[in-house]
Amino acid sequence: MIKFLIRRLLSMVLVLWVIATVTFIFMHLIPGGPFTREKKLPAAIMRNIEARYHLNDPLPKQYLDYFRNLLRGDLGPSYTYEGRTVNEISADGFPGAATLGLAAVGIALLIGIPAGIISALYRSKWQDNLAMLLATIFVSVPNFILASLLMLVFALKLRWFPAAMWGEPSQIVLPALALTGFPTAFISRLTRSSMVEVMQQDYIRTARAKGLSNLAVVVRHALKNSLIPVVTYLGPLLAGNMTGRFLVENIFAIPGLGRYFVTSIYNRDYTVILGVTIFYSSLLVVLNFLVDLTYAWIDPRIRFTDSGKE
Amino acid sequence: MLLAVNDLRTSFFTYAGEVKAVDGVSFSLDEGEAVALVGESGCGKSVTALSIMGLINPPGKILSGSIVFNGRDLIRLSERELRHIRGNEIGMIFQDPMTSLNPVLSIGTQIIEVRRLHQGLRGRVARQRAVELLSMVGIPSPGERLRQYPHQFSGGMRQRVMIAMALACQPKLLIADEPTTALDVTIQAQIIELMKELQAQLGMAIILITHDLGVVAGLAKKVYVMYAGRIVESGSVDRIYYHARHPYTWGLLASVPRLDDKPKKRLVPIQGQPPDLLAPPPGCAFASRCRYAMRICVQENPALLPSSDDAEHRVACWREDPEAAAFIGASRGGVA
């Protein structure tokens, strides 16, 4: 188990290094730079700026410098936002994005899993048809459309929640709902299909032959087995939602991370691109690791031995 | 009388039509008695068992008949009342011990669950009782094994666990649905031997369901041979093994390998396929595979009637009809 953890940790570092390096190379392959403007700057000024940010160094040196700083936890200064470091930007944007993301995923699990179970148990009955119709609708509607609709109905017409901005708990509700549409629908479909499969297993018949009630059969014998696909989906879902969703953040004027992620690319804001990418990948890698640990907790057949998975 | 199944009819309503999986089956057993339901795949043995347990799911449905267990007709009980009987008064074990145990719950959890449900047993007492059950079915170091998961057990050991689970509440009846089919031959013998010992010790009645006449003799006293949803012959083990009257039973017996056969002797299969239960033939379902079939066999279904020399030995075959006997007598030598 210890060996497994160490090997897993090393491979996570390796993955992050590869992602960072590839991003670094591609980023510099894109024509232009952070200070390229439509109206060209005088060459002398350009040289001064580049010298200040060490952009005139040869690329391998820039690469090594960046990684040296990265190891110390320093993601460097932003080129676009004067006087702000990437560390500050992440620290500012992440708590909001994470709160919003967690709220959205939480709602998705709370609604999606029960909806999936009900659909599976009432397969082809009206409960199932209704749930799957809703799931199809919410999988198809993009979150920015849902966001606009929610804002229109609940903020402008009914005035139940504030239309935008960030800070009050009530301001979380509408963006979280907008973000939760797709994952809720997706989770309910995943739960339904794996539940249907599990309910046909022999051990479910055994459980019923013991005299367990339907509810006990579902909760004790079927649920754990049928949650594995949902857990798999949860890793990337959490990482994606916690690092911000650009469009929804924009619509609700939320200072999240998604915004920086998108704007940094057309600003060629090298350090922000790299910083946010590394941040997102780290989160994804860690969450996937947690997903794997959850598998082992759910299913005792998956054991982490020193030779990897059994 | 512990259990009396009378004219049970269970059908499955599929898109293709009604499948009469069990079509008028009657049998009974006393307390502590062991009987066997024998027949090939799809003859309705398992559906009979699941009907007794009340575990027929849509599109399946029990259409008519009665299943009187301990004075109560199980078909007329509510789901709640049935749940109290399942696992408590009737235990059941299944064909494939590899898939019949929940892979994500420990053996202990799965055994204790039954007792807790029906007898409210919890905590240390429940664990202690589970340990006793495991050692009763011959599992070494039961205390340790209790914490393990099904994948850590071999097939034979898992079937022992299944038996321990089914017997946890000391049921009056144990239904064993092909308990040895998925196991090695040597393990098969051990499991049958175990069931025999447990029956002697605990005195429960057993319905053994199998397609293998070879495993029946060790355990059951009485045999019901099923074909296409009906019982075609029934009688004591002795009668069925040595004085069988139905051509289908002959076929089953001929397909069992024997220790005293000459080496390399081929097994004798029953020719042909079982009938399509969606569109059963009008007469005897076995007629198309029967080398002794007569004209009446494809026209009318024979009733299950006592044979001429033993009232307990019942056969559903036109050859047993007095008129046919005369005919067969007249043409003997020409047919067989």
mmCIF file with all atom_site columns, all heavy atoms in Angstrom, chain A residues 202-203 205-206 208-210 220-221 225 300-301, chain B residues 57 86-87 99-100 102 110 113 116 118 149:
data_model
loop_
_atom_site.group_PDB
_atom_site.id
_atom_site.type_symbol
_atom_site.label_atom_id
_atom_site.label_alt_id
_atom_site.label_comp_id
_atom_site.label_asym_id
_atom_site.label_entity_id
_atom_site.label_seq_id
_atom_site.pdbx_PDB_ins_code
_atom_site.Cartn_x
_atom_site.Cartn_y
_atom_site.Cartn_z
_atom_site.occupancy
_atom_site.B_iso_or_equiv
_atom_site.pdbx_formal_charge
_atom_site.auth_seq_id
_atom_site.auth_comp_id
_atom_site.auth_asym_id
_atom_site.auth_atom_id
_atom_site.pdbx_PDB_model_num
ATOM 1   N N   . ASP A 1 202 ? -27.325 -11.849 -9.874  1.00 0.00 ? 202 ASP A N   1
ATOM 2   C CA  . ASP A 1 202 ? -27.763 -12.968 -9.043  1.00 0.00 ? 202 ASP A CA  1
ATOM 3   C C   . ASP A 1 202 ? -27.837 -12.590 -7.560  1.00 0.00 ? 202 ASP A C   1
ATOM 4   O O   . ASP A 1 202 ? -28.713 -13.044 -6.839  1.00 0.00 ? 202 ASP A O   1
ATOM 5   C CB  . ASP A 1 202 ? -26.788 -14.148 -9.199  1.00 0.00 ? 202 ASP A CB  1
ATOM 6   C CG  . ASP A 1 202 ? -26.950 -14.819 -10.548 1.00 0.00 ? 202 ASP A CG  1
ATOM 7   O OD1 . ASP A 1 202 ? -27.942 -14.511 -11.230 1.00 0.00 ? 202 ASP A OD1 1
ATOM 8   O OD2 . ASP A 1 202 ? -26.092 -15.638 -10.920 1.00 0.00 ? 202 ASP A OD2 1
ATOM 9   N N   . TYR A 1 203 ? -26.876 -11.765 -7.102  1.00 0.00 ? 203 TYR A N   1
ATOM 10  C CA  . TYR A 1 203 ? -26.850 -11.497 -5.655  1.00 0.00 ? 203 TYR A CA  1
ATOM 11  C C   . TYR A 1 203 ? -28.033 -10.639 -5.226  1.00 0.00 ? 203 TYR A C   1
ATOM 12  O O   . TYR A 1 203 ? -28.378 -10.622 -4.050  1.00 0.00 ? 203 TYR A O   1
ATOM 13  C CB  . TYR A 1 203 ? -25.527 -10.878 -5.207  1.00 0.00 ? 203 TYR A CB  1
ATOM 14  C CG  . TYR A 1 203 ? -25.102 -9.624  -5.929  1.00 0.00 ? 203 TYR A CG  1
ATOM 15  C CD1 . TYR A 1 203 ? -25.629 -8.393  -5.578  1.00 0.00 ? 203 TYR A CD1 1
ATOM 16  C CD2 . TYR A 1 203 ? -24.159 -9.676  -6.940  1.00 0.00 ? 203 TYR A CD2 1
ATOM 17  C CE1 . TYR A 1 203 ? -25.221 -7.247  -6.232  1.00 0.00 ? 203 TYR A CE1 1
ATOM 18  C CE2 . TYR A 1 203 ? -23.760 -8.538  -7.598  1.00 0.00 ? 203 TYR A CE2 1
ATOM 19  C CZ  . TYR A 1 203 ? -24.284 -7.324  -7.238  1.00 0.00 ? 203 TYR A CZ  1
ATOM 20  O OH  . TYR A 1 203 ? -23.901 -6.180  -7.887  1.00 0.00 ? 203 TYR A OH  1
ATOM 21  N N   . ARG A 1 205 ? -31.067 -11.258 -6.405  1.00 0.00 ? 205 ARG A N   1
ATOM 22  C CA  . ARG A 1 205 ? -32.060 -12.307 -6.178  1.00 0.00 ? 205 ARG A CA  1
ATOM 23  C C   . ARG A 1 205 ? -31.813 -12.977 -4.824  1.00 0.00 ? 205 ARG A C   1
ATOM 24  O O   . ARG A 1 205 ? -32.757 -13.247 -4.082  1.00 0.00 ? 205 ARG A O   1
ATOM 25  C CB  . ARG A 1 205 ? -31.954 -13.337 -7.306  1.00 0.00 ? 205 ARG A CB  1
ATOM 26  C CG  . ARG A 1 205 ? -33.101 -14.334 -7.335  1.00 0.00 ? 205 ARG A CG  1
ATOM 27  C CD  . ARG A 1 205 ? -32.907 -15.344 -8.432  1.00 0.00 ? 205 ARG A CD  1
ATOM 28  N NE  . ARG A 1 205 ? -31.564 -15.920 -8.342  1.00 0.00 ? 205 ARG A NE  1
ATOM 29  C CZ  . ARG A 1 205 ? -31.019 -16.678 -9.284  1.00 0.00 ? 205 ARG A CZ  1
ATOM 30  N NH1 . ARG A 1 205 ? -31.668 -16.942 -10.384 1.00 0.00 ? 205 ARG A NH1 1
ATOM 31  N NH2 . ARG A 1 205 ? -29.805 -17.156 -9.144  1.00 0.00 ? 205 ARG A NH2 1
ATOM 32  N N   . THR A 1 206 ? -30.530 -13.209 -4.497  1.00 0.00 ? 206 THR A N   1
ATOM 33  C CA  . THR A 1 206 ? -30.213 -13.790 -3.189  1.00 0.00 ? 206 THR A CA  1
ATOM 34  C C   . THR A 1 206 ? -30.733 -12.895 -2.071  1.00 0.00 ? 206 THR A C   1
ATOM 35  O O   . THR A 1 206 ? -31.340 -13.369 -1.116  1.00 0.00 ? 206 THR A O   1
ATOM 36  C CB  . THR A 1 206 ? -28.685 -13.948 -3.030  1.00 0.00 ? 206 THR A CB  1
ATOM 37  O OG1 . THR A 1 206 ? -28.177 -14.647 -4.148  1.00 0.00 ? 206 THR A OG1 1
ATOM 38  C CG2 . THR A 1 206 ? -28.351 -14.688 -1.757  1.00 0.00 ? 206 THR A CG2 1
ATOM 39  N N   . ARG A 1 208 ? -33.148 -10.783 -2.139  1.00 0.00 ? 208 ARG A N   1
ATOM 40  C CA  . ARG A 1 208 ? -34.602 -10.841 -2.039  1.00 0.00 ? 208 ARG A CA  1
ATOM 41  C C   . ARG A 1 208 ? -35.052 -12.168 -1.424  1.00 0.00 ? 208 ARG A C   1
ATOM 42  O O   . ARG A 1 208 ? -36.016 -12.213 -0.668  1.00 0.00 ? 208 ARG A O   1
ATOM 43  C CB  . ARG A 1 208 ? -35.231 -10.646 -3.418  1.00 0.00 ? 208 ARG A CB  1
ATOM 44  C CG  . ARG A 1 208 ? -34.978 -9.247  -3.969  1.00 0.00 ? 208 ARG A CG  1
ATOM 45  C CD  . ARG A 1 208 ? -35.652 -9.034  -5.295  1.00 0.00 ? 208 ARG A CD  1
ATOM 46  N NE  . ARG A 1 208 ? -37.093 -9.110  -5.181  1.00 0.00 ? 208 ARG A NE  1
ATOM 47  C CZ  . ARG A 1 208 ? -37.894 -9.502  -6.163  1.00 0.00 ? 208 ARG A CZ  1
ATOM 48  N NH1 . ARG A 1 208 ? -37.394 -9.844  -7.325  1.00 0.00 ? 208 ARG A NH1 1
ATOM 49  N NH2 . ARG A 1 208 ? -39.182 -9.529  -5.993  1.00 0.00 ? 208 ARG A NH2 1
ATOM 50  N N   . ALA A 1 209 ? -34.303 -13.238 -1.740  1.00 0.00 ? 209 ALA A N   1
ATOM 51  C CA  . ALA A 1 209 ? -34.659 -14.544 -1.174  1.00 0.00 ? 209 ALA A CA  1
ATOM 52  C C   . ALA A 1 209 ? -34.447 -14.582 0.330   1.00 0.00 ? 209 ALA A C   1
ATOM 53  O O   . ALA A 1 209 ? -34.973 -15.449 1.019   1.00 0.00 ? 209 ALA A O   1
ATOM 54  C CB  . ALA A 1 209 ? -33.832 -15.643 -1.845  1.00 0.00 ? 209 ALA A CB  1
ATOM 55  N N   . LYS A 1 210 ? -33.642 -13.640 0.853   1.00 0.00 ? 210 LYS A N   1
ATOM 56  C CA  . LYS A 1 210 ? -33.447 -13.557 2.298   1.00 0.00 ? 210 LYS A CA  1
ATOM 57  C C   . LYS A 1 210 ? -34.648 -12.919 2.980   1.00 0.00 ? 210 LYS A C   1
ATOM 58  O O   . LYS A 1 210 ? -34.758 -12.957 4.193   1.00 0.00 ? 210 LYS A O   1
ATOM 59  C CB  . LYS A 1 210 ? -32.234 -12.680 2.608   1.00 0.00 ? 210 LYS A CB  1
ATOM 60  C CG  . LYS A 1 210 ? -30.899 -13.299 2.367   1.00 0.00 ? 210 LYS A CG  1
ATOM 61  C CD  . LYS A 1 210 ? -29.843 -12.223 2.609   1.00 0.00 ? 210 LYS A CD  1
ATOM 62  C CE  . LYS A 1 210 ? -28.448 -12.761 2.498   1.00 0.00 ? 210 LYS A CE  1
ATOM 63  N NZ  . LYS A 1 210 ? -27.473 -11.673 2.682   1.00 0.00 ? 210 LYS A NZ  1
ATOM 64  N N   . ARG A 1 220 ? -28.877 -1.469  0.541   1.00 0.00 ? 220 ARG A N   1
ATOM 65  C CA  . ARG A 1 220 ? -27.762 -2.259  1.071   1.00 0.00 ? 220 ARG A CA  1
ATOM 66  C C   . ARG A 1 220 ? -27.014 -3.041  -0.003  1.00 0.00 ? 220 ARG A C   1
ATOM 67  O O   . ARG A 1 220 ? -25.810 -3.233  0.089   1.00 0.00 ? 220 ARG A O   1
ATOM 68  C CB  . ARG A 1 220 ? -28.266 -3.236  2.144   1.00 0.00 ? 220 ARG A CB  1
ATOM 69  C CG  . ARG A 1 220 ? -28.788 -2.557  3.387   1.00 0.00 ? 220 ARG A CG  1
ATOM 70  C CD  . ARG A 1 220 ? -29.354 -3.596  4.331   1.00 0.00 ? 220 ARG A CD  1
ATOM 71  N NE  . ARG A 1 220 ? -28.370 -4.626  4.623   1.00 0.00 ? 220 ARG A NE  1
ATOM 72  C CZ  . ARG A 1 220 ? -27.562 -4.585  5.680   1.00 0.00 ? 220 ARG A CZ  1
ATOM 73  N NH1 . ARG A 1 220 ? -27.650 -3.589  6.511   1.00 0.00 ? 220 ARG A NH1 1
ATOM 74  N NH2 . ARG A 1 220 ? -26.692 -5.540  5.884   1.00 0.00 ? 220 ARG A NH2 1
ATOM 75  N N   . HIS A 1 221 ? -27.742 -3.533  -0.998  1.00 0.00 ? 221 HIS A N   1
ATOM 76  C CA  . HIS A 1 221 ? -27.091 -4.449  -1.934  1.00 0.00 ? 221 HIS A CA  1
ATOM 77  C C   . HIS A 1 221 ? -26.818 -3.863  -3.315  1.00 0.00 ? 221 HIS A C   1
ATOM 78  O O   . HIS A 1 221 ? -25.919 -4.314  -4.000  1.00 0.00 ? 221 HIS A O   1
ATOM 79  C CB  . HIS A 1 221 ? -27.920 -5.728  -2.078  1.00 0.00 ? 221 HIS A CB  1
ATOM 80  C CG  . HIS A 1 221 ? -27.824 -6.612  -0.876  1.00 0.00 ? 221 HIS A CG  1
ATOM 81  N ND1 . HIS A 1 221 ? -26.885 -7.606  -0.764  1.00 0.00 ? 221 HIS A ND1 1
ATOM 82  C CD2 . HIS A 1 221 ? -28.509 -6.627  0.276   1.00 0.00 ? 221 HIS A CD2 1
ATOM 83  C CE1 . HIS A 1 221 ? -27.012 -8.202  0.405   1.00 0.00 ? 221 HIS A CE1 1
ATOM 84  N NE2 . HIS A 1 221 ? -27.994 -7.624  1.060   1.00 0.00 ? 221 HIS A NE2 1
ATOM 85  N N   . ASN A 1 225 ? -22.773 -0.970  -5.416  1.00 0.00 ? 225 ASN A N   1
ATOM 86  C CA  . ASN A 1 225 ? -22.311 -1.559  -6.667  1.00 0.00 ? 225 ASN A CA  1
ATOM 87  C C   . ASN A 1 225 ? -22.578 -0.674  -7.865  1.00 0.00 ? 225 ASN A C   1
ATOM 88  O O   . ASN A 1 225 ? -21.847 -0.696  -8.841  1.00 0.00 ? 225 ASN A O   1
ATOM 89  C CB  . ASN A 1 225 ? -22.998 -2.905  -6.894  1.00 0.00 ? 225 ASN A CB  1
ATOM 90  C CG  . ASN A 1 225 ? -22.378 -4.001  -6.072  1.00 0.00 ? 225 ASN A CG  1
ATOM 91  O OD1 . ASN A 1 225 ? -21.224 -4.344  -6.254  1.00 0.00 ? 225 ASN A OD1 1
ATOM 92  N ND2 . ASN A 1 225 ? -23.134 -4.518  -5.129  1.00 0.00 ? 225 ASN A ND2 1
ATOM 93  N N   . PRO A 1 300 ? -14.167 -4.232  -2.627  1.00 0.00 ? 300 PRO A N   1
ATOM 94  C CA  . PRO A 1 300 ? -13.003 -4.871  -2.002  1.00 0.00 ? 300 PRO A CA  1
ATOM 95  C C   . PRO A 1 300 ? -12.159 -5.692  -2.979  1.00 0.00 ? 300 PRO A C   1
ATOM 96  O O   . PRO A 1 300 ? -11.040 -6.040  -2.658  1.00 0.00 ? 300 PRO A O   1
ATOM 97  C CB  . PRO A 1 300 ? -13.628 -5.772  -0.936  1.00 0.00 ? 300 PRO A CB  1
ATOM 98  C CG  . PRO A 1 300 ? -15.014 -6.006  -1.404  1.00 0.00 ? 300 PRO A CG  1
ATOM 99  C CD  . PRO A 1 300 ? -15.426 -4.770  -2.129  1.00 0.00 ? 300 PRO A CD  1
ATOM 100 N N   . ARG A 1 301 ? -12.719 -5.979  -4.173  1.00 0.00 ? 301 ARG A N   1
ATOM 101 C CA  . ARG A 1 301 ? -11.921 -6.743  -5.133  1.00 0.00 ? 301 ARG A CA  1
ATOM 102 C C   . ARG A 1 301 ? -10.775 -5.903  -5.678  1.00 0.00 ? 301 ARG A C   1
ATOM 103 O O   . ARG A 1 301 ? -9.790  -6.417  -6.174  1.00 0.00 ? 301 ARG A O   1
ATOM 104 C CB  . ARG A 1 301 ? -12.801 -7.238  -6.286  1.00 0.00 ? 301 ARG A CB  1
ATOM 105 C CG  . ARG A 1 301 ? -13.668 -8.398  -5.887  1.00 0.00 ? 301 ARG A CG  1
ATOM 106 C CD  . ARG A 1 301 ? -14.690 -8.692  -6.946  1.00 0.00 ? 301 ARG A CD  1
ATOM 107 N NE  . ARG A 1 301 ? -15.578 -7.558  -7.133  1.00 0.00 ? 301 ARG A NE  1
ATOM 108 C CZ  . ARG A 1 301 ? -16.597 -7.554  -7.981  1.00 0.00 ? 301 ARG A CZ  1
ATOM 109 N NH1 . ARG A 1 301 ? -16.830 -8.597  -8.736  1.00 0.00 ? 301 ARG A NH1 1
ATOM 110 N NH2 . ARG A 1 301 ? -17.374 -6.497  -8.082  1.00 0.00 ? 301 ARG A NH2 1
ATOM 111 N N   . ASN B 2 57  ? -40.813 -12.155 -11.123 1.00 0.00 ? 57  ASN B N   1
ATOM 112 C CA  . ASN B 2 57  ? -40.893 -10.735 -11.473 1.00 0.00 ? 57  ASN B CA  1
ATOM 113 C C   . ASN B 2 57  ? -41.596 -10.552 -12.798 1.00 0.00 ? 57  ASN B C   1
ATOM 114 O O   . ASN B 2 57  ? -41.552 -11.433 -13.647 1.00 0.00 ? 57  ASN B O   1
ATOM 115 C CB  . ASN B 2 57  ? -39.487 -10.159 -11.604 1.00 0.00 ? 57  ASN B CB  1
ATOM 116 C CG  . ASN B 2 57  ? -38.836 -10.003 -10.250 1.00 0.00 ? 57  ASN B CG  1
ATOM 117 O OD1 . ASN B 2 57  ? -39.510 -9.809  -9.237  1.00 0.00 ? 57  ASN B OD1 1
ATOM 118 N ND2 . ASN B 2 57  ? -37.529 -10.097 -10.220 1.00 0.00 ? 57  ASN B ND2 1
ATOM 119 N N   . ARG B 2 86  ? -39.713 -15.713 3.456   1.00 0.00 ? 86  ARG B N   1
ATOM 120 C CA  . ARG B 2 86  ? -38.450 -15.855 2.726   1.00 0.00 ? 86  ARG B CA  1
ATOM 121 C C   . ARG B 2 86  ? -37.263 -15.693 3.663   1.00 0.00 ? 86  ARG B C   1
ATOM 122 O O   . ARG B 2 86  ? -37.202 -14.742 4.429   1.00 0.00 ? 86  ARG B O   1
ATOM 123 C CB  . ARG B 2 86  ? -38.329 -14.725 1.693   1.00 0.00 ? 86  ARG B CB  1
ATOM 124 C CG  . ARG B 2 86  ? -39.029 -14.967 0.422   1.00 0.00 ? 86  ARG B CG  1
ATOM 125 C CD  . ARG B 2 86  ? -38.757 -13.778 -0.488  1.00 0.00 ? 86  ARG B CD  1
ATOM 126 N NE  . ARG B 2 86  ? -39.943 -13.488 -1.266  1.00 0.00 ? 86  ARG B NE  1
ATOM 127 C CZ  . ARG B 2 86  ? -40.380 -12.275 -1.532  1.00 0.00 ? 86  ARG B CZ  1
ATOM 128 N NH1 . ARG B 2 86  ? -39.740 -11.221 -1.103  1.00 0.00 ? 86  ARG B NH1 1
ATOM 129 N NH2 . ARG B 2 86  ? -41.457 -12.118 -2.246  1.00 0.00 ? 86  ARG B NH2 1
ATOM 130 N N   . GLY B 2 87  ? -36.323 -16.605 3.544   1.00 0.00 ? 87  GLY B N   1
ATOM 131 C CA  . GLY B 2 87  ? -35.105 -16.488 4.339   1.00 0.00 ? 87  GLY B CA  1
ATOM 132 C C   . GLY B 2 87  ? -35.317 -16.901 5.777   1.00 0.00 ? 87  GLY B C   1
ATOM 133 O O   . GLY B 2 87  ? -34.363 -17.169 6.496   1.00 0.00 ? 87  GLY B O   1
ATOM 134 N N   . THR B 2 99  ? -21.654 -15.755 -8.394  1.00 0.00 ? 99  THR B N   1
ATOM 135 C CA  . THR B 2 99  ? -22.354 -14.489 -8.617  1.00 0.00 ? 99  THR B CA  1
ATOM 136 C C   . THR B 2 99  ? -23.513 -14.275 -7.647  1.00 0.00 ? 99  THR B C   1
ATOM 137 O O   . THR B 2 99  ? -24.144 -13.228 -7.681  1.00 0.00 ? 99  THR B O   1
ATOM 138 C CB  . THR B 2 99  ? -22.913 -14.426 -10.056 1.00 0.00 ? 99  THR B CB  1
ATOM 139 O OG1 . THR B 2 99  ? -23.763 -15.555 -10.249 1.00 0.00 ? 99  THR B OG1 1
ATOM 140 C CG2 . THR B 2 99  ? -21.813 -14.457 -11.078 1.00 0.00 ? 99  THR B CG2 1
ATOM 141 N N   . SER B 2 100 ? -23.778 -15.255 -6.800  1.00 0.00 ? 100 SER B N   1
ATOM 142 C CA  . SER B 2 100 ? -24.943 -15.132 -5.931  1.00 0.00 ? 100 SER B CA  1
ATOM 143 C C   . SER B 2 100 ? -24.652 -14.429 -4.613  1.00 0.00 ? 100 SER B C   1
ATOM 144 O O   . SER B 2 100 ? -25.560 -14.150 -3.840  1.00 0.00 ? 100 SER B O   1
ATOM 145 C CB  . SER B 2 100 ? -25.534 -16.510 -5.639  1.00 0.00 ? 100 SER B CB  1
ATOM 146 O OG  . SER B 2 100 ? -26.029 -17.071 -6.837  1.00 0.00 ? 100 SER B OG  1
ATOM 147 N N   . ASN B 2 102 ? -23.003 -11.014 -2.779  1.00 0.00 ? 102 ASN B N   1
ATOM 148 C CA  . ASN B 2 102 ? -22.699 -9.629  -3.126  1.00 0.00 ? 102 ASN B CA  1
ATOM 149 C C   . ASN B 2 102 ? -21.196 -9.366  -2.982  1.00 0.00 ? 102 ASN B C   1
ATOM 150 O O   . ASN B 2 102 ? -20.642 -9.515  -1.896  1.00 0.00 ? 102 ASN B O   1
ATOM 151 C CB  . ASN B 2 102 ? -23.490 -8.700  -2.204  1.00 0.00 ? 102 ASN B CB  1
ATOM 152 C CG  . ASN B 2 102 ? -23.469 -7.270  -2.705  1.00 0.00 ? 102 ASN B CG  1
ATOM 153 O OD1 . ASN B 2 102 ? -22.501 -6.830  -3.324  1.00 0.00 ? 102 ASN B OD1 1
ATOM 154 N ND2 . ASN B 2 102 ? -24.532 -6.547  -2.447  1.00 0.00 ? 102 ASN B ND2 1
ATOM 155 N N   . GLN B 2 110 ? -23.258 -10.403 5.208   1.00 0.00 ? 110 GLN B N   1
ATOM 156 C CA  . GLN B 2 110 ? -24.329 -11.030 4.446   1.00 0.00 ? 110 GLN B CA  1
ATOM 157 C C   . GLN B 2 110 ? -25.035 -12.129 5.242   1.00 0.00 ? 110 GLN B C   1
ATOM 158 O O   . GLN B 2 110 ? -26.219 -12.379 5.044   1.00 0.00 ? 110 GLN B O   1
ATOM 159 C CB  . GLN B 2 110 ? -23.794 -11.588 3.119   1.00 0.00 ? 110 GLN B CB  1
ATOM 160 C CG  . GLN B 2 110 ? -23.265 -10.472 2.229   1.00 0.00 ? 110 GLN B CG  1
ATOM 161 C CD  . GLN B 2 110 ? -22.911 -10.942 0.836   1.00 0.00 ? 110 GLN B CD  1
ATOM 162 O OE1 . GLN B 2 110 ? -23.725 -11.501 0.135   1.00 0.00 ? 110 GLN B OE1 1
ATOM 163 N NE2 . GLN B 2 110 ? -21.681 -10.697 0.421   1.00 0.00 ? 110 GLN B NE2 1
ATOM 164 N N   . GLU B 2 113 ? -27.003 -10.350 8.308   1.00 0.00 ? 113 GLU B N   1
ATOM 165 C CA  . GLU B 2 113 ? -28.168 -9.619  7.798   1.00 0.00 ? 113 GLU B CA  1
ATOM 166 C C   . GLU B 2 113 ? -29.465 -10.425 7.913   1.00 0.00 ? 113 GLU B C   1
ATOM 167 O O   . GLU B 2 113 ? -30.516 -9.892  8.284   1.00 0.00 ? 113 GLU B O   1
ATOM 168 C CB  . GLU B 2 113 ? -27.880 -9.288  6.335   1.00 0.00 ? 113 GLU B CB  1
ATOM 169 C CG  . GLU B 2 113 ? -28.956 -8.563  5.608   1.00 0.00 ? 113 GLU B CG  1
ATOM 170 C CD  . GLU B 2 113 ? -28.505 -8.249  4.191   1.00 0.00 ? 113 GLU B CD  1
ATOM 171 O OE1 . GLU B 2 113 ? -28.146 -9.190  3.440   1.00 0.00 ? 113 GLU B OE1 1
ATOM 172 O OE2 . GLU B 2 113 ? -28.509 -7.078  3.842   1.00 0.00 ? 113 GLU B OE2 1
ATOM 173 N N   . ARG B 2 116 ? -30.550 -10.714 11.597  1.00 0.00 ? 116 ARG B N   1
ATOM 174 C CA  . ARG B 2 116 ? -30.976 -9.435  12.127  1.00 0.00 ? 116 ARG B CA  1
ATOM 175 C C   . ARG B 2 116 ? -32.376 -9.103  11.625  1.00 0.00 ? 116 ARG B C   1
ATOM 176 O O   . ARG B 2 116 ? -33.234 -8.640  12.347  1.00 0.00 ? 116 ARG B O   1
ATOM 177 C CB  . ARG B 2 116 ? -29.999 -8.335  11.716  1.00 0.00 ? 116 ARG B CB  1
ATOM 178 C CG  . ARG B 2 116 ? -30.206 -7.099  12.562  1.00 0.00 ? 116 ARG B CG  1
ATOM 179 C CD  . ARG B 2 116 ? -29.229 -6.029  12.213  1.00 0.00 ? 116 ARG B CD  1
ATOM 180 N NE  . ARG B 2 116 ? -29.367 -5.667  10.813  1.00 0.00 ? 116 ARG B NE  1
ATOM 181 C CZ  . ARG B 2 116 ? -28.455 -4.999  10.150  1.00 0.00 ? 116 ARG B CZ  1
ATOM 182 N NH1 . ARG B 2 116 ? -27.350 -4.634  10.738  1.00 0.00 ? 116 ARG B NH1 1
ATOM 183 N NH2 . ARG B 2 116 ? -28.644 -4.676  8.897   1.00 0.00 ? 116 ARG B NH2 1
ATOM 184 N N   . HIS B 2 118 ? -34.791 -11.197 10.564  1.00 0.00 ? 118 HIS B N   1
ATOM 185 C CA  . HIS B 2 118 ? -35.913 -12.029 10.997  1.00 0.00 ? 118 HIS B CA  1
ATOM 186 C C   . HIS B 2 118 ? -35.964 -12.244 12.502  1.00 0.00 ? 118 HIS B C   1
ATOM 187 O O   . HIS B 2 118 ? -36.992 -12.580 13.043  1.00 0.00 ? 118 HIS B O   1
ATOM 188 C CB  . HIS B 2 118 ? -35.865 -13.394 10.297  1.00 0.00 ? 118 HIS B CB  1
ATOM 189 C CG  . HIS B 2 118 ? -36.060 -13.288 8.815   1.00 0.00 ? 118 HIS B CG  1
ATOM 190 N ND1 . HIS B 2 118 ? -37.233 -12.856 8.259   1.00 0.00 ? 118 HIS B ND1 1
ATOM 191 C CD2 . HIS B 2 118 ? -35.229 -13.519 7.782   1.00 0.00 ? 118 HIS B CD2 1
ATOM 192 C CE1 . HIS B 2 118 ? -37.114 -12.842 6.952   1.00 0.00 ? 118 HIS B CE1 1
ATOM 193 N NE2 . HIS B 2 118 ? -35.912 -13.237 6.630   1.00 0.00 ? 118 HIS B NE2 1
ATOM 194 N N   . TYR B 2 149 ? -14.233 -11.199 1.991   1.00 0.00 ? 149 TYR B N   1
ATOM 195 C CA  . TYR B 2 149 ? -15.209 -10.935 0.932   1.00 0.00 ? 149 TYR B CA  1
ATOM 196 C C   . TYR B 2 149 ? -15.334 -12.140 0.004   1.00 0.00 ? 149 TYR B C   1
ATOM 197 O O   . TYR B 2 149 ? -14.415 -12.972 -0.050  1.00 0.00 ? 149 TYR B O   1
ATOM 198 C CB  . TYR B 2 149 ? -14.778 -9.695  0.146   1.00 0.00 ? 149 TYR B CB  1
ATOM 199 C CG  . TYR B 2 149 ? -14.900 -8.441  0.972   1.00 0.00 ? 149 TYR B CG  1
ATOM 200 C CD1 . TYR B 2 149 ? -13.858 -8.018  1.787   1.00 0.00 ? 149 TYR B CD1 1
ATOM 201 C CD2 . TYR B 2 149 ? -16.082 -7.709  0.968   1.00 0.00 ? 149 TYR B CD2 1
ATOM 202 C CE1 . TYR B 2 149 ? -13.983 -6.875  2.571   1.00 0.00 ? 149 TYR B CE1 1
ATOM 203 C CE2 . TYR B 2 149 ? -16.219 -6.576  1.736   1.00 0.00 ? 149 TYR B CE2 1
ATOM 204 C CZ  . TYR B 2 149 ? -15.172 -6.165  2.544   1.00 0.00 ? 149 TYR B CZ  1
ATOM 205 O OH  . TYR B 2 149 ? -15.313 -5.053  3.317   1.00 0.00 ? 149 TYR B OH  1
#
